[in-house]
Amino acid sequence: MELTVNAAPAFVYTGGRSFDRQLPVVVLIHGAGHDHSVWNYQARHLAHHGLSVLAPDLPGHGRSAGEPLASIESLADWVEALLDAAGVTQAALAGHSMGSLIALQTAAQAPTRVTRLLLLGSVAPMPVAAPLLDAARDNRTAAHTMINQWSYTPASQLGASATPGISLTGLNLRLMERQREGLLANDLGACNAYQAGLDAASRICVPCAMLCGERDQMTPRRAVKPLHDALVNAAGGARMIIIQGAGHAMMAEAPDAVSDAMRGFLNSAPT
Amino acid sequence: MTQPKTFGPETLALHAGQSPDPAFGARAAPIYFTTSYVFPDADHAAALFNLERPGHVYTRISNPTNAMLEERIAALDGGVGAIAVASGQAALHLAITTLMGVGGHIVASRALYGGSHNLLAYTLPRFGITTTFVDPRDPAAWRAAVRPETRLFFGESLGNPGLDVLDIPTVADIAHAHRVPLLVDATLVSPCLQRPLSLGADLVLHSATKFLGGHGVAVGGLLVDGGRFDWEASGLFPTLTEPYDGFHGMDFAEESPIAAFLLRARREGLRDFGACLSPMNAFQILQGMETLPLRMRAHVANARAVATHLAAHPLVDRVAYPGLADHPDHALATRLLPDGAGSVLSFELTGGRSAGRAFIEGLKVFSHLANVGDAKSLVIHPASTTHFRMSAQDLLAAGIGEGTVRLSVGLESLDDLIEDLNRGLYAAGRAVQG
């Protein structure tokens, strides 16, 4: 469906079901250089299991108009505006990679509007390697190749796909290519510049879960600890869920495990 | 941080799409010879039908062995995915019916495989889809043939049987200027000699029966999506950009902006037209693909030598092989097929139809049959077999003479092939002398 957010058209995927604000709402926020389609399986699964899903294309991404926003803080403001546009008072937020920082910042700056927080493939701070930042600015093709190399496990790159007949790395390359010039550099720059993550995490009081790919090279398990430790005030303590065999692109590589973990967390009893 | 490295074609041909069998550790591709799949529970069953979860429901729609084949060809061609079907003809039909219905129009090269020509010229018009055939070498003709209802450009990497080289970048640019995709039949080159998607094509089909299998035991087809064509931006493809009542009201381009075509082709085309590939055939084609890079190199080496030999023979009027300098598309072949122009070639005997017949009957190693791309060398007389439905005028337009002979040069010892051809040429010479 299309909403108007900050006076610009925004596309929001709802997982194959009509959006119903009377149901518990979950917002799924994609990562750098991506769009809503990275959440296809999870969005459909949650939408068919009692939740109303908002999976937006962030400004300038996919089908959403407007200029890409250059900071995690401004993207968090945009997510708040999205909730307003959808007439949603409160929602759970889930974000992947850059989207996880947006979800984290939104939950910190608008604590009354966020009921639960799901951080997938997340670290804070999220420094981006200089060669990748340079390539995103000067040589997109090289940047896309690097991201594929580091986002998918060797088994995913060469072996059987989780989606029959689909090349996960091929699909991801084209998805990144489809985005406008300069967008990936903008997004990675926003991740790299965001330094408020640990402070934001310390202010999270709602239930929080972190999903980490067992073989994630972009946001590896060992790098997740500072953020996990900073979520000290999350209700019941932040849960850490390891997605076995998956890399950073866990929603595509292990769609069932990710969907099950998200649904389990979102449906769990309040702590 | 190490620099990224992608896998080479030899590695992809052996591994892409297949992980060691999780149940028993089998290294070879298991043949999942089953029509259907047990649902763990009712919720999982519903989730599979809702596309909440990936997986298999019924082999007409998808099958694990077929998926290995699909992912392997997608990796080799540089696509986002593929669909395995019962034959190359089924792949062409699936592509067309996914993109258009009654009133749709195709602009196609007139140098096509006879079966494709039949489908476009005779059969599809009965279903309201028409085709304008153009000289593949004439960019102005491609442009001039476009109508408001045009939805597809179609050509072959190497035209049949004149071996015209399709100028994919040029034709793709013309197609894209008119907001339609270019589909390329790459059967005669395979991904080892050309990757049309990297040259600008949007969709690729293969008759996997030919070089991909290589053994001549399994009929099959593959349709690969490059994922670059923006269906939404084009605005000409309601089958992909409007809700489809036949499948959850899905707007395929909204669901998957990149793989919308494959989604509709599988969820509608395979479901309703039913031209699925047997898992046994998929397995056999996979076995062939493991050695595809090695075989294509050997095919090309033998074909070059055979073409050179024939070109120097006094009974041969002309040889059509883009690898030879006198072929009108030689320069284009050098650019678009740098690793070789395949191993199919045709030539014209000076003695016409009777010489052609004597030549074929004089051969002992080449097999006279209607196929190409086998490991064994093959020969056929197109005017009386694959293209027999075409009028003399259409034959001429497609570059086929009455004495044209088509060879598919195989992997036998080169000396044996040359000796066999000399045997046939001797017989042809005697026939001409009367």
Side-chain angles (χ1 to χ4, degrees):
Chain A
M1 68 177 180
E2 190 171 292
L3 296 174
T4 300
V5 182
N6 292 342
F11 175 76
V12 184
Y13 176 66
T14 57
R17 301 292 288 263
S18 296
F19 179 69
D20 180 357
R21 66 176 62 84
Q22 303 306 315
L23 295 172
V25 175
V26 59
V27 183
L28 308 179
I29 308 169
H30 64 75
H34 281 160
D35 72 8
H36 70 276
S37 61
V38 299
W39 295 108
N40 275 145
Y41 287 121
Q42 291 75 33
R44 293 188 77 84
H45 187 66
L46 297 173
H48 285 83
H49 288 86
L51 290 148
S52 235
V53 172
L54 296 172
D57 288 351
L58 292 171
H61 296 67
R63 296 176 169 209
S64 286
E67 288 301 309
L69 302 176
S71 71
I72 298 300
E73 290 84 351
S74 56
L75 285 159
D77 293 340
W78 188 88
V79 169
E80 281 196 72
L82 170 74
L83 294 176
D84 293 340
V88 174
T89 308
Q90 281 195 313
L93 302 185
H96 174 246
S97 200
M98 177 183 80
S100 72
L101 300 183
I102 300 168
L104 177 65
Q105 177 62 28
T106 308
Q109 71 185 36
T112 60
R113 303 196 71 174
V114 178
T115 56
R116 285 171 186 261
L117 189 59
L118 261 164
L119 307 175
L120 292 80
S122 187
V123 296
M126 193 178 280
V128 179
L132 180 54
L133 280 174
D134 292 344
R137 186 184 62 241
D138 302 327
N139 184 350
R140 282 180 73 187
T141 302
H144 297 161
T145 306
M146 289 181 196
I147 289 173
N148 257 12
Q149 177 90 18
W150 299 322
S151 293
Y152 292 84
T153 63
S156 289
Q157 293 179 42
L158 198 57
S161 166
T163 300
I166 292 292
S167 162
L168 298 183
T169 51
L171 193 70
N172 194 47
L173 275 182
R174 297 291 179 270
L175 180 59
M176 292 187 289
E177 285 175 11
R178 184 70 63 87
Q179 308 307 317
R180 67 172 74 177
E181 192 68 37
L183 181 136
L184 182 64
N186 172 84
D187 289 355
L188 294 179
C191 294
N192 197 49
Y194 182 61
Q195 296 300 320
L198 295 181
D199 176 60
S202 69
R203 290 186 278 136
I204 302 300
C205 298
V206 294
C208 179
M210 301 187 72
L211 270 62
C212 181
E214 180 197 16
R215 300 186 179 191
D216 190 336
Q217 293 184 69
M218 293 283 258
T219 52
R221 287 173 67 177
R222 64 180 181 279
V224 174
K225 189 171 185 304
L227 176 58
H228 185 255
D229 290 348
L231 288 160
V232 64
N233 294 315
R239 294 188 208 175
M240 174 69 85
I241 301 169
I242 304 300
I243 304 298
Q244 296 298 324
H248 193 60
M250 64 185 85
M251 296 98 80
E253 291 183 295
D256 284 353
V258 172
S259 292
D260 290 343
M262 293 177 71
R263 181 181 161 201
F265 172 71
L266 292 169
N267 286 342
S268 61
T271 49
Chain B
M1 189 172 276
T2 56
Q3 288 300 306
K5 181 187 176 305
T6 52
F7 294 106
E10 287 81 2
T11 307
L12 295 174
L14 284 162
H15 293 278
Q18 187 208 347
S19 303
D21 167 43
F24 300 105
R27 180 59 273 195
I31 308 168
Y32 287 92
F33 231 11
T34 181
T35 58
S36 39
Y37 308 83
V38 174
F39 306 126
D41 54 53
D43 187 66
H44 196 98
L48 286 169
F49 280 92
N50 285 333
L51 290 194
E52 298 167 41
R53 295 185 186 275
H56 304 283
V57 171
Y58 193 65
T59 283
R60 192 175 74 243
I61 313 297
S62 67
N63 171 281
T65 309
N66 294 22
M68 293 177 207
L69 176 61
E70 291 162 348
E71 291 158 35
R72 187 160 303 176
I73 192 67
L76 284 166
D77 260 327
V80 300
I83 294 183
V85 287
S87 67
Q89 284 298 103
L92 178 58
H93 178 267
L94 181 62
I96 292 168
T97 52
T98 299
L99 296 176
M100 68 191 84
V102 170
H105 174 255
I106 299 164
V107 182
S109 161
R110 69 187 182 199
L112 293 181
Y113 163 58
S116 299
H117 183 268
N118 289 340
L119 177 66
L120 299 177
Y122 303 114
T123 307
L124 286 179
R126 201 153 55 79
F127 298 92
I129 295 172
T130 56
T131 298
T132 301
F133 295 96
V134 300
D135 177 350
R137 293 190 176 102
D138 183 0
W142 287 95
R143 251 181 236 107
V146 175
R147 302 178 189 166
E149 62 272 23
T150 300
R151 295 294 177 270
L152 182 68
F153 276 33
F154 175 53
E156 297 178 357
S157 291
L158 286 173
N160 192 346
L163 285 308
D164 321 67
V165 179
L166 186 67
D167 187 348
I168 294 173
T170 298
V171 176
D173 283 349
I174 298 167
H176 297 162
H178 292 88
R179 297 182 290 142
V180 300
L182 169 63
L183 167 66
V184 171
D185 180 340
T187 298
L188 294 191
V189 291
S190 90
C192 293
L193 299 181
Q194 185 184 70
R195 303 203 309 165
L197 300 175
S198 70
L199 298 172
D202 304 287
L203 303 165
V204 171
L205 75 81
H206 299 275
S207 169
T209 314
K210 311 300 190 304
F211 290 102
L212 298 183
H215 33 48
V217 305
V219 173
L222 291 163
L223 180 58
V224 187
D225 183 1
R228 285 199 177 94
F229 194 84
D230 190 336
W231 309 103
E232 188 71 31
S234 163
L236 295 176
F237 298 93
T239 54
L240 301 180
T241 60
E242 293 179 5
Y244 175 44
D245 289 340
F247 193 73
H248 306 298
M250 185 174 281
D251 175 331
F252 294 93
E254 178 180 298
E255 189 75 18
S256 179
I258 305 301
F261 173 84
L262 290 173
L263 200 52
R264 174 102 187 197
R266 189 179 296 280
R267 297 297 160 179
E268 180 193 57
L270 274 184
R271 183 194 66 183
D272 297 353
F273 298 123
C276 60
L277 183 70
S278 163
M280 177 60 84
N281 286 32
F283 168 78
Q284 289 161 332
I285 294 164
L286 277 167
Q287 299 316 295
M289 285 178 72
E290 292 196 349
T291 57
L292 182 67
L294 294 172
R295 286 189 289 109
M296 291 313 291
R297 283 195 283 272
H299 274 295
V300 166
N302 271 0
R304 280 181 177 143
V306 163
T308 303
H309 177 75
L310 288 172
H313 199 282
L315 284 176
V316 175
D317 208 22
R318 60 185 171 85
V319 177
Y321 182 64
L324 294 182
D326 66 348
H327 190 277
D329 294 333
H330 179 65
L332 196 57
T334 304
R335 183 158 57 90
L336 301 185
L337 294 157
D339 295 324
S343 77
V344 175
L345 58 90
S346 63
F347 64 97
E348 190 76 20
L349 285 162
T350 53
R353 185 178 290 268
S354 61
R357 187 178 299 119
F359 172 81
I360 285 175
E361 290 177 355
L363 297 171
K364 306 292 184 199
V365 177
F366 280 80
S367 303
H368 183 203
L369 51 76
N371 194 17
V372 293
D374 196 297
K376 301 176 182 69
S377 289
L378 315 173
V379 62
I380 201 162
H381 182 225
S384 62
T385 53
T386 54
H387 290 62
F388 81 99
R389 290 184 191 280
M390 293 174 71
S391 67
Q393 191 178 359
D394 287 345
L395 279 176
L396 197 62
I400 304 168
E402 287 198 322
T404 297
V405 173
R406 186 186 71 193
L407 299 181
S408 175
V409 181
L411 304 176
E412 296 91 343
S413 301
L414 180 60
D415 287 352
D416 295 334
L417 294 180
I418 297 294
E419 183 180 276
D420 201 42
L421 292 169
N422 286 342
R423 192 181 296 127
L425 288 165
Y426 177 76
R430 288 178 61 91
V432 171
Q433 288 164 5

